[in-house]
Structure formats: structure tokens, C-alpha cells
Amino acid sequence: MLETEHYECPYCGEPAEAVLDLSGGDQSYIEDCPVCCRPIVFHLQTDGQKWMLDVHTENES
């Protein structure tokens, strides 16, 4: 199941959109910002229906 979620880049603050695959369960992955190209760490928590997405810089835990 795919969903979209809007977020702000933790580096440049520009708005962007992530496509989330809820069928994979909890996930952590890195994608580059489409504007400033810096690596953003995504943490997705999901039970397949509800989800919570956190984004932060590589230096944040």
C-alpha cells in the first residue's frame, strides 16, 4: 500500500513529498533532498494502516 506524505527538508526547509510503502513495515532509509541534495534520514513506523514519518539530518539520532 503506497501513501504520500509531505515533509520539510531538515537542512534547507523546502517542502517535499515522500512516497511511503506501508507494506514493508517499519523502515529506516536515506534519500537526498530534491532541492539541496543533502542526505535526509527517514524513519517510518507503520502497522500497515496508520503510519508516522520522522525526517532528520544524518547527524541527528
Side-chain angles (χ1 to χ4, degrees):
M1 177 173 168
L2 298 177
E3 294 287 343
T4 57
E5 179 73 11
H6 295 276
Y7 68 92
E8 287 186 7
C9 173
Y11 296 101
C12 68
E14 289 294 318
E17 185 176 89
V19 177
L20 310 175
D21 182 359
L22 303 183
S23 66
D26 293 347
Q27 305 167 38
S28 292
Y29 56 94
I30 296 174
E31 287 187 13
D32 290 341
C33 172
V35 177
C36 71
C37 299
R38 296 190 67 188
I40 302 170
V41 179
F42 291 81
H43 290 291
L44 173 63
Q45 295 178 341
T46 181
D47 62 5
Q49 299 293 321
K50 298 178 187 174
W51 72 89
M52 183 175 68
L53 180 67
D54 291 320
V55 295
H56 54 82
T57 66
E58 281 188 308
N59 299 329
E60 296 176 295
S61 44

